[in-house]
Amino acid sequence: MYKKLFIPGPTHVDDEILEAMSVPMIGHRDKLYSDLHGDVVTKLKKFLQTDGRIYLSASSSTGMMEGSLRNCVNKKALMTDCGAFSKRWVEVAQLNGKEVDVIKVDMGQATTPEMVDEYLSKGGFDSVCITHNETSTGVMNPIEDIGKLVKEKYPDVLVLVDAVSSMGGAEIKVDEWGLDVVLAGTQKAFALPPGLCVVTVSEAAFARAAEVKNKGYYFNFEVLEKYAVKDQTPATPAISLINALNVQMDRIFAEGVEKRFQRHIDMAEFVRAWTKKNFDLYSDENYLSTTVTNVDNTRGIDVVELNAELAKRGAMLSNGYGALKGKCFRIAHMGDLQVADVKWLTEQIDDILGL
Ligand SMILES: *Cc1c(COP(=O)(O)O)cnc(C)c1O
């Protein structure tokens, strides 16, 4: 039975998007492809408010996390560990032989500009990696304040942002906020199937890449740029997904960008109110995510059992991540889900648990 996904990726995909995936193939050196590629990139630039470069990568987001580290880190990167996904930055960097220093943040808390300032002031860093929306704890880190601080006080430090579970559902002003690299896979708030990653690259990040050795080939900004100027990609692109993204961008502008972000806020507020009434919020209330809520399982309910019951009604939510398994559960409210969807979901949970 089909289950509507209330998990933080992959997310529910609307039929119109699925249909946009099943179109006849075109050659990726054909003008038809370049027209499509150019179209999508133009729309993404408008959406993300950037005049910088945008590359489309046939990979999951983690691939481009690796790629951005390989392109941008020459000396040492500052990482923040406030949950499983920000920790991934650390692992990926280390496995690529990059030197890192890590700010350890308590689970459920946000990374603040003050923390970043304190570490960067020690010197020796050429980049800082931030996770915009920490999907494992439901915290949205203040990347606007962090980006602006870094640009003002440490202009040689690049700001690399994992916006995987926020881009498409929350506002990101790439240039104004001083973000050098911002990446996201399409299977979260863009509400497309997985397999495509979008990345923005600032002038400074591109200039850094020219200085860094051993960037590899697949995610090499210089190689990507050589083809991007022709509205192409070096290797075969995920054409079906790019076609779907083009349709999705039109739908996003048709809904209205502000309205789309507001819809996410409305869904988040609904889920938070329900959570407070029946359970508790796990994370710092000043930094709650607008795309996913981490519910503190104060009633000690069996999350696996709850999901099994929800499955019979055609829905699925997420267990707590890693150490929070069983202790928390997560309700994602991102992409093309509506307030009516999360309302329906919570009604099912109320009914199952007798709340
Ligand atoms: C899902 C997620 C990732 C991993 O993305 P993949 O596309 O699976 O590589 C990384 N960071 C965050 C914040 C995520 O939510």
Side-chain angles (χ1 to χ4, degrees), residues 33-51:
Y33 175 75
S34 291
D35 290 348
L36 169 66
H37 186 112
D39 235 20
V40 175
V41 168
T42 302
K43 290 168 192 171
L44 286 168
K45 282 185 180 178
K46 182 177 165 199
F47 181 61
L48 297 168
Q49 305 195 28
T50 180
D51 293 325

Side-chain angles (χ1 to χ4, degrees), residues 25-71:
M25 261 316 103
I26 54 177
H28 64 297
R29 303 297 179 221
D30 190 320
K31 185 177 178 299
L32 283 173
Y33 175 75
S34 291
D35 290 348
L36 169 66
H37 186 112
D39 235 20
V40 175
V41 168
T42 302
K43 290 168 192 171
L44 286 168
K45 282 185 180 178
K46 182 177 165 199
F47 181 61
L48 297 168
Q49 305 195 28
T50 180
D51 293 325
R53 296 168 168 84
I54 289 191
Y55 302 132
L56 303 175
S57 161
S59 68
S60 89
S61 329
T62 310
M64 197 40 93
M65 287 171 81
E66 178 157 301
S68 56
L69 291 163
R70 297 278 300 255
N71 279 279

Side-chain angles (χ1 to χ4, degrees), residues 8-10 59-65 84-86 88-89 131-136 162-166 183-188 194-197 292 321 330 334:
S59 68
S60 89
S61 329
T62 310
M64 197 40 93
M65 287 171 81
F85 289 102
S86 40
R88 183 172 294 189
W89 269 126
T131 304
H132 184 201
N133 191 65
E134 178 45 76
T135 317
S136 67
D162 163 352
V164 179
S165 57
S166 55
L183 63 96
T186 51
Q187 79 275 22
K188 303 223 172 157
L196 178 67
C197 183
V292 59
Y321 197 100
R330 292 170 298 158
M334 64 173 93

